[in-house]
Amino acid sequence: MNSYKIEAGTAQHIGNRPLQNDRVALLTSARAPGYVLAVLASGLAGGSLASEQVLHTAKLLFDEFKPGDTPTIERVERLLRDIVHEAHLVIRLNGEATQTEPQASCAVLMLTPAHQAVWAHVGDARFYHFQKGACQLRSSDAGYVMHLIATERLAADAARNHRQSKLLVNVLGNSRKQPFVTVGHRPAVTAGDAFLLASDGLWHFFTDTELGAAVHKASPRQSAEMLINKAAERADGKGSNCSMAIIKLVKLVKPAKPAAAPSATTIGSDF
């Protein structure tokens, strides 16, 4: 039987920045029992306004989500896309009202009671999937580069070199472009799987192997503490905001059956 328990946690460190512009959360919903949503948003321009809006929108739409008796992966993917696009719209409206352009990258992950994992990401907030410490998947710009080649008619090298320009940057809140959302899923996750959502203040300083080993060998809290300390050491005073969500699927251990009580023996004595 594919049984596991979820061990999860979030952590943040301001790094060497004056403000903490990232936001991260683990959410549940009364209308979707057994579902867990992890959200990480990394604020870029405009401070924390955009990243706060991502979390607010995620909670609002997740609270309204009714999966029904036989939810499909496609329905969950649609929810994650809706979170991204609605957050983008509100961020843009806020920017117009304040004459600013707040922006954020984000990564979101949904775990379902049917043992499915569904994720989406925009920009340089990264998503990782590990199995017993080995990296099975890491999000990247590859999908966005191919999108640019197909829709902007750019050569591959041009798309890679210019995707960080103000016109082409892939973020929520960009007044010139809709965010390009990369989605993925695993139809059957099991004990030994682990997931990491990370801002660039974390993943920039580690290899996939290092991240997988850290997540695998310790509890989410212990892993987060070690990674934050090591990132600060490697940043050498130049670190960005460092944020993460760690979700581990841990094998359920059946409690040992209690030993049978010894049968009572009556010893009679005559006085």
Side-chain angles (χ1 to χ4, degrees):
M1 183 177 178
N2 185 9
S3 298
Y4 55 77
K5 64 178 181 177
I6 297 175
E7 294 184 354
T10 65
Q12 291 186 277
H13 191 275
I14 196 170
N16 302 106
R17 297 290 189 263
L19 297 172
Q20 174 58 269
N21 294 326
D22 296 348
R23 296 293 186 268
V24 60
L26 296 168
L27 305 172
T28 57
S29 171
R31 294 187 177 186
Y35 286 75
V36 176
L37 179 66
V39 186
L40 181 142
S42 180
L44 303 171
S48 63
L49 178 63
S51 52
E52 288 175 354
Q53 185 60 55
V54 174
L55 261 64
H56 176 75
T57 302
K59 185 178 188 314
L60 182 67
L61 295 188
F62 188 28
D63 284 344
E64 295 174 349
F65 179 63
K66 296 180 181 179
D69 295 330
T70 56
T72 64
I73 287 175
E74 289 74 21
R75 280 200 64 198
V76 178
E77 288 180 342
R78 187 162 62 249
L79 170 65
L80 301 188
R81 288 182 184 275
D82 288 345
I83 289 171
V84 170
H85 288 297
E86 185 160 329
H88 168 71
L89 175 61
V90 177
I91 291 167
R92 281 194 57 187
L93 292 174
N94 287 337
E96 292 174 4
T98 58
Q99 296 297 301
T100 61
E101 192 169 357
Q103 296 176 348
S105 60
C106 72
V108 289
L109 165 71
M110 180 81 87
L111 293 176
T112 80
H115 306 292
Q116 302 158 336
V118 187
W119 60 85
H121 93 279
V122 174
D124 64 1
R126 282 197 177 168
F127 167 84
Y128 294 83
H129 171 214
F130 304 106
Q131 171 58 232
K132 297 181 179 178
C135 186
Q136 305 298 307
L137 181 143
R138 179 193 67 189
S139 65
S140 70
D141 282 333
Y144 184 50
V145 170
M146 297 308 296
H147 169 71
L148 291 178
I149 294 169
T151 61
E152 304 289 342
R153 300 182 183 278
L154 295 176
D157 288 344
R160 292 189 185 93
N161 292 336
H162 296 289
R163 67 183 184 276
Q164 295 301 325
S165 72
K166 192 171 183 62
L167 178 63
L168 299 179
V169 68
N170 187 32
V171 293
L172 283 70
N174 188 345
S175 61
R176 297 160 181 81
K177 290 282 183 179
Q178 289 290 318
F180 177 77
V181 189
T182 302
V183 298
H185 67 269
R186 286 284 186 271
V189 295
T190 188
D193 282 311
F195 304 92
L196 171 68
L197 311 183
S199 67
D200 62 340
L202 176 71
W203 62 256
H204 179 78
F205 298 103
F206 298 95
T207 66
D208 298 351
T209 300
E210 289 174 326
L211 290 172
V215 170
H216 180 62
K217 291 180 179 179
S219 69
R221 180 174 181 175
Q222 292 168 330
S223 299
E225 183 177 359
M226 186 277 289
L227 288 170
I228 285 175
N229 290 338
K230 183 58 69 174
E233 176 185 320
R234 293 180 177 181
D236 193 25
K238 300 176 182 178
S240 183
N241 295 161
C242 178
S243 303
M244 73 193 82
I246 299 173
I247 304 94
K248 299 180 67 174
L249 309 185
V250 180
K251 185 177 180 180
L252 283 173
V253 178
K254 293 182 178 180
K257 292 183 178 180
S263 57
T265 301
T266 301
I267 301 176
S269 299
D270 293 331
F271 291 95

